[in-house]
Amino acid sequence: MHSDAMNGLVRNSLQGICLIGILVLTSTTISHAQTEQLEAELRQFGDIELIAFEGRGDFLRKIDTALGPGNIKDPDQTFARLPRSPFTVTGRQNGQALTTCRIFVPAGLTPENNTEIFAELMRNWFGTNLNYASNSDLTYRWLIFHEARHCQPDHFGGDVLKDHRDEHEADLFAFNKLANTQNRDQLAIDITAFRMITSALIARPSHMTGLSLKRALEARTPLDASVEMAAFQTVRAMINRRAKSIATAINPTNRELIRAITELRKEAGQEPGRSSDPLTVEILIALDDAIAHLAPALHHSVANVSAN
């Protein structure tokens, strides 16, 4: 969704919502000292600020202070809904590029609240304390660095294919900036699991980049963006149908959702039809592995029940 507000684009990194500059994904918690340290680190990529806010009213006051009164067209409508995750505002003001890229962080996602960004952005479906090969601090920094890449003018929005490419580029940019010989493999496991889950279950098409990230980190041939988006949409429809068929209430529980995924994974490639498509099989296997990695106890308990 595009808007002329402040002559900019706004994009939510998970949902791809365009509003005022670029709403981009960030999240997980940091103390004030950590915020200042990370903000200083981000300045290597340009003039970037991290701003915590308490709710929509506080955000509107802070964005008004940052940009000046009257520079946001219809702010109540433009920001009628704010993303769950932190987001970045950049773009143009009065025909000129904003000199500062601002990443707004919901105060409820700070470390003082003991929240984890991956858990929050997966809606806590797989628990609030996840299992990591690296750690939650590094995955948070990866998402913040991802947002910093969106601060560059070449990421100021476009069509769904452009947005998909930008999201993938930002993922790799953040990974390459943070990965070293000690954490490279561990960080790759964590971010691939996160992207596979959000791509298959939550994200809008422009943010269905799980396979692109997985293949890039495995040094495999990249996928065409339109093919990847279609594959994830196919898998999501399959999961929704299966989860609804086994649900005991109107909406499937997280355990029923996991059961649907594990069942489809077992069937993948064994029956004719959609489940035999190579990309569908690859997604289902990687998705099931991702849940098993980030939420091993939950995944194991559902698998045991399904087997009985």
Side-chain angles (χ1 to χ4, degrees):
M1 176 176 66
H2 292 270
S3 169
D4 292 327
M6 209 186 68
N7 297 320
L9 294 170
V10 183
R11 177 175 45 206
N12 173 291
S13 292
L14 189 57
Q15 299 297 334
I17 302 171
C18 292
L19 298 171
I20 171 178
I22 296 179
L23 280 191
V24 240
L25 175 76
T26 47
S27 192
T28 268
T29 56
I30 41 181
S31 69
H32 183 67
Q34 288 174 304
T35 301
E36 291 181 348
Q37 180 180 353
L38 184 54
E39 184 178 53
E41 200 174 346
L42 293 176
R43 291 199 181 106
Q44 65 184 296
F45 310 125
D47 186 357
I48 299 174
E49 292 181 3
L50 294 182
I51 304 173
F53 67 95
E54 293 273 3
R56 184 169 170 274
D58 188 38
F59 165 75
L60 290 176
R61 285 189 294 273
K62 289 183 175 178
I63 194 70
D64 195 51
T65 299
L67 302 178
N71 280 313
I72 305 173
K73 181 180 178 181
D74 300 323
D76 287 336
Q77 180 178 354
T78 300
F79 295 107
R81 292 183 59 190
L82 293 178
R84 294 170 171 230
S85 62
F87 52 89
T88 299
V89 174
T90 186
R92 303 182 69 82
Q93 176 182 347
N94 300 326
Q96 301 295 319
L98 294 175
T99 58
T100 302
C101 178
R102 296 174 175 88
I103 299 174
F104 286 86
V105 184
L109 293 178
T110 59
E112 293 87 347
N113 293 283
N114 297 315
T115 57
E116 296 179 6
I117 186 169
F118 277 14
E120 290 292 321
L121 296 183
M122 294 188 298
R123 303 175 183 175
N124 294 322
W125 285 347
F126 308 106
T128 57
N129 298 111
L130 304 175
N131 175 69
Y132 299 93
S134 60
N135 57 70
S136 60
D137 288 339
L138 185 59
T139 54
Y140 173 75
R141 295 181 71 233
W142 172 71
L143 283 169
I144 292 287
F145 274 53
H146 171 112
E147 303 320 317
R149 178 63 181 91
H150 287 315
C151 287
Q152 300 305 311
D154 62 328
H155 275 208
F156 281 12
D159 60 17
V160 66
L161 294 177
K162 169 67 163 55
D163 287 346
H164 187 279
R165 183 169 65 251
D166 289 352
E167 290 304 310
H168 179 50
E169 286 180 357
D171 278 353
L172 292 180
F173 169 85
F175 177 77
N176 289 329
K177 292 297 181 182
L178 292 170
N180 56 43
T181 54
Q182 286 75 40
N183 67 25
R184 183 180 184 86
D185 291 344
Q186 293 85 351
L187 181 59
I189 292 169
D190 290 337
I191 64 176
T192 299
F194 172 74
R195 281 290 182 233
M196 287 304 304
I197 291 172
T198 57
S199 296
L201 303 178
I202 299 169
R204 65 180 297 165
S206 63
H207 293 68
M208 294 177 175
T209 58
L211 280 181
S212 289
L213 178 61
K214 180 176 181 290
R215 291 189 170 203
L217 296 178
E218 294 172 351
R220 294 169 58 195
T221 303
L223 275 176
D224 178 82
S226 59
V227 172
E228 178 172 16
M229 290 185 285
F232 273 115
Q233 288 171 307
T234 295
V235 170
R236 185 177 297 183
M238 292 171 59
I239 294 169
N240 287 340
R241 285 194 299 269
R242 180 62 62 89
K244 289 179 180 179
S245 73
I246 63 179
T248 57
I250 295 177
N251 296 316
T253 66
N254 63 334
R255 296 179 64 86
E256 289 165 341
L257 180 67
I258 295 170
R259 177 184 164 189
I261 293 166
T262 57
E263 288 182 358
L264 288 168
R265 185 228 174 110
K266 291 177 182 178
E267 298 167 6
Q270 298 179 4
E271 299 177 359
R274 289 183 178 179
S275 62
S276 62
D277 175 76
L279 283 184
T280 299
V281 173
E282 183 177 355
I283 291 173
L284 286 169
I285 292 173
L287 174 60
D288 191 47
D289 287 346
I291 297 170
H293 167 61
L294 291 174
L298 177 62
H299 183 274
H300 182 68
S301 68
V302 172
N304 281 347
V305 171
S306 299
N308 294 331

